[in-house]
């Protein structure tokens, strides 16, 4: 029994160090050490194992259970970025309604997407992978110029739109526009970081050990370069945030999970609407069975999210729409 407990202890400490490694994404960029960003993908599994092993020590009546519980406290906020079970009283509705949605170029139903967006009656709609679609059902909205990737639609006055490109000059990673609402201007940034370009068959494991090993290596070979591309894209988007003369709202498909380098640096100085007003799971990408949150809404701290919903009632894309209400009067 002592040997078994020693093995469990070593495993528990190992998982702890991996979890701590994921927190280092706040400080270490992918171009220096991309493996910390890789750890963020496994955070849900790691934290579940950590909790299970902590419970094991509790039932084993070992004092180390309290040590692991104490050390585990810094992971409360990282967990809440995935699953938020806060019981705070729901606030009144916000001043504006925002919808962020990766529509996958309308491949799962162009008409259905337009009908859905029209029914939401949002003040601002931020779309990713829009495929250059037209939106005849949204005639009362002002729209940014079509670029095939990102679109912002709004009922309010739209100005100063600008595409954000990373240093390699590749695909646009962001689209910023200033929108005047009730006499005040706000900067909206629609984000679409470089995709990993996975297919289900690439990540689906089977009983063949050798084949699975090759799949894992292939996935890692795609992940590492993408993390480095994201670093450049995040830098450019941060410039748009920091140079804004107005309060900022950024939303979109970040192709990055919570606790990643991308999350920490895009969220810096901003408020995560899900952590403020969301409840339950924030999983927004449903093409795989593994829980993945890659769609977000962040805002300046002078604003405040009053509600945040991942709308799982529709399956018209491989993403679920994210809907947030924002109070423009702050806290």
């Amino acid at each position: 029994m002592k040997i078994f407990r020693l093995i469990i202890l070593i495993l528990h400490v190992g998982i702890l160090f991996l979890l701590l490694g994921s927190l280092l994404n706040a400080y270490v960029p992918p171009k220096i050490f991309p493996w910390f960003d890789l750890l963020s993908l496994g955070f849900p599994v790691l934290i579940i194992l950590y909790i299970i092993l902590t419970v094991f020590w509790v039932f084993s009546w070992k004092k180390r259970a309290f040590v692991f519980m104490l050390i585990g406290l810094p992971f409360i906020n990282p967990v809440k970025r995935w699953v938020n079970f806060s019981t705070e009283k729901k606030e009144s509705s916000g001043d504006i309604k925002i919808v962020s949605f990766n529509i996958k170029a309308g491949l799962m139903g162009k008409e259905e997407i337009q009908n859905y967006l029209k029914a939401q009656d949002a003040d601002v709609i931020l779309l990713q992978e829009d495929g250059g679609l037209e939106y005849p059902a949204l005639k009362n909205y002002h729209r940014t110029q079509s670029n095939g990737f990102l679109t912002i639609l709004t009922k309010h006055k739209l100005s100063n739109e600008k595409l954000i490109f990373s240093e390699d000059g590749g695909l646009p990673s962001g689209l910023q526009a200033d929108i005047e609402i009730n006499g005040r201007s706000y900067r909206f940034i629609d984000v679409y970081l470089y995709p990993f370009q996975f297919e289900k068959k690439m990540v689906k494991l089977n009983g063949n050990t050798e084949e699975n090993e090759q799949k894992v290596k292939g996935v890692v070979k795609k992940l590492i370069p993408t993390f480095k591309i994201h670093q450049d894209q995040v830098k450019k988007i941060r410039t748009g945030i920091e140079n804004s003369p107005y309060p900022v709202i950024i939303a979109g498909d970040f192709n990055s999970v919570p606790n990643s380098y991308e999350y920490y640096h895009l969220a810096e100085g901003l408020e995560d609407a899900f952590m403020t007003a969301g409840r339950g799971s924030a999983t927004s990408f449903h093409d795989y069975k593994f829980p993945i949150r890659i769609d977000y809404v962040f805002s300046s701290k002078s604003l405040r999210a009053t509600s945040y919903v991942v709308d799982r009632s529709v399956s018209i894309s491989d993403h679920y729409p994210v809907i947030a209400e924002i109070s423009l009067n702050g806290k």
Side-chain angles (χ1 to χ4, degrees):
M1 192 63 179
K2 288 184 178 181
I3 295 176
F4 174 73
R5 285 179 176 168
L6 177 61
I7 294 172
I8 294 297
L9 178 60
I10 293 171
L11 178 62
H12 205 169
V13 171
I15 291 171
L16 172 61
F17 275 100
L18 291 177
L19 287 169
L20 291 172
S22 71
L23 301 186
L24 291 176
N25 282 310
Y27 312 101
V28 183
K31 287 186 178 180
I32 291 179
F33 195 77
W35 299 98
F36 289 143
D37 224 5
L38 192 64
L39 285 175
S40 65
L41 293 170
F43 183 87
V45 174
L46 291 172
I47 196 66
I48 289 171
L49 290 174
Y50 186 88
I51 292 170
I52 290 173
L53 294 178
T54 301
V55 172
F56 169 80
W57 296 123
V58 170
F59 282 99
S60 297
W61 294 96
K62 294 294 181 181
K63 293 180 180 178
R64 65 192 64 161
F66 298 100
V67 175
F68 281 113
M69 283 191 285
L70 185 63
I71 296 174
L73 291 178
F75 300 117
I76 292 177
N77 270 346
V79 168
K80 287 177 68 176
R81 293 173 190 141
W82 292 85
V83 182
N84 190 356
F85 289 115
S86 172
T87 57
E88 292 181 10
K89 184 178 179 181
K90 186 177 179 180
E91 301 181 30
S92 59
S93 61
D95 299 308
I96 60 170
K97 182 178 181 180
I98 299 167
V99 173
S100 177
F101 193 11
N102 182 321
I103 62 174
K104 200 178 182 181
L107 295 177
M108 297 174 69
K110 297 178 183 179
E111 186 176 345
E112 290 83 352
I113 287 171
Q114 292 211 47
N115 291 338
Y116 176 81
L117 295 175
K118 183 179 180 180
Q120 290 304 309
D121 193 32
D123 292 274
V124 182
I125 301 171
L126 302 100
L127 303 176
Q128 306 86 45
E129 285 194 64
D130 84 312
L133 295 182
E134 298 296 328
Y135 302 92
L138 302 171
K139 292 180 180 178
N140 59 328
Y141 281 79
H142 303 288
R143 179 191 175 183
T144 53
Q145 295 180 10
S146 176
N147 57 71
F149 294 95
L150 295 158
T151 289
I152 297 177
L153 300 113
T154 178
K155 295 178 179 180
H156 306 277
K157 184 179 178 181
L158 181 70
S159 64
N160 300 325
E161 63 179 90
K162 175 186 175 183
L163 280 171
I164 302 172
F165 293 90
S166 55
E167 293 179 357
D168 62 5
L171 302 178
S173 54
L175 169 63
Q176 72 179 47
D178 298 333
I179 298 176
E180 185 179 316
I181 304 172
N182 299 332
R184 292 187 62 191
S185 293
Y186 303 86
R187 174 157 295 175
F188 284 79
I189 301 180
D190 191 3
V191 176
Y192 179 57
L193 298 188
Y194 191 80
F196 292 104
Q197 299 177 325
F198 288 143
E199 296 177 11
K200 283 185 180 181
K201 63 182 180 181
M202 295 172 61
V203 296
K204 188 175 182 180
L205 303 180
N206 53 40
N208 189 317
T209 304
E210 186 175 338
E211 187 177 327
N212 289 341
E213 185 179 341
Q214 291 303 314
K215 284 185 178 182
V216 171
K217 288 181 179 178
V219 167
V220 172
K221 284 181 180 179
K222 275 186 170 288
L223 289 172
I224 300 302
T226 303
F227 292 149
K228 295 177 180 180
I229 293 172
H230 285 180
Q231 181 179 334
D232 287 335
Q233 293 180 318
V234 168
K235 179 181 177 182
K236 290 290 186 178
I237 294 169
R238 285 300 315 179
T239 300
I241 295 170
E242 292 162 7
N243 292 343
S244 174
Y246 314 118
V248 174
I249 297 171
I250 75 171
D253 175 6
F254 292 12
N255 277 306
S256 305
V257 297
N259 311 316
S260 63
Y261 171 88
E262 297 88 332
Y263 178 94
Y264 280 117
H265 289 266
L266 284 174
E268 185 178 351
L270 303 176
E271 198 169 75
D272 183 338
F274 172 69
M275 291 190 69
T276 302
R279 302 292 182 270
S281 169
T283 296
S284 57
F285 181 76
H286 61 87
D287 213 26
Y288 306 148
K289 293 181 179 179
F290 190 79
I292 302 177
R293 180 195 181 195
I294 57 177
D295 299 273
Y296 304 85
V297 177
F298 296 153
S299 65
S300 294
K301 291 184 178 180
S302 60
L303 312 176
R304 184 170 180 82
T306 58
S307 72
Y308 183 100
V309 175
V310 180
D311 190 352
R312 299 185 179 87
S313 67
V314 292
S315 294
I316 48 180
S317 171
D318 51 358
H319 292 246
Y320 291 122
V322 171
I323 305 168
E325 291 188 16
I326 305 288
S327 170
L328 303 180
N329 296 319
K331 301 178 182 180

